Amino acid sequence: VRHLKSCNYSADHNLTEKQKAETDAFIHLISEKLSPALTYVLWIDTKNHVEFTRSWYANHLPFPLGYYYPSRYHQNAVKLIESLYSQYTEFGEIGNDTI
């Protein structure tokens, strides 16, 4: 995306500098607020992780990688959510819920 913007191939090309700044701020706000929520839903919510995310990755990655990467992504997601929202958990139970 950055390369396309540098070559003036962007939907924002005709915007003023103020409008471009507002667009960048809005994109940053959305990614900052929605990225952790999406990470939680895909990788930490036990029901969704077991029934959808893990099986999808296992089916779409080559043989050994389909077993390695889903658990790795899950561990990284738990670390991210714990680091961002540790004040909301008293016992460090993020990702340890049952179906």
Side-chain angles (χ1 to χ4, degrees):
V1 172
R2 290 180 185 158
H3 175 71
L4 292 175
K5 282 186 178 181
S6 69
C7 296
N8 294 328
Y9 294 115
S10 173
D12 298 341
H13 180 65
N14 293 327
L15 298 178
T16 65
E17 291 301 316
K18 180 181 178 186
Q19 291 170 329
K20 288 179 184 178
E22 289 173 350
T23 302
D24 288 340
F26 187 65
I27 289 170
H28 179 71
L29 176 69
I30 289 174
S31 65
E32 182 179 308
K33 299 298 180 184
L34 291 181
S35 181
L38 185 60
T39 300
Y40 181 86
V41 168
L42 288 176
W43 293 105
I44 298 176
D45 179 55
T46 302
K47 183 176 181 184
N48 193 40
H49 174 66
V50 170
E51 293 179 5
F52 174 71
T53 309
R54 186 172 57 185
S55 63
W56 189 89
Y57 271 83
N59 290 331
H60 288 84
L61 290 174
F63 167 64
L65 302 178
Y67 290 103
Y68 174 73
Y69 281 110
S71 62
R72 180 79 141 178
Y73 293 153
H74 174 74
Q75 292 169 356
N76 289 340
V78 169
K79 288 178 186 176
L80 173 71
I81 298 300
E82 283 179 344
S83 68
L84 291 174
Y85 302 106
S86 61
Q87 72 271 20
Y88 296 114
T89 61
E90 296 178 13
F91 305 107
E93 296 178 349
I94 294 177
N96 293 331
D97 55 343
T98 58
I99 296 177

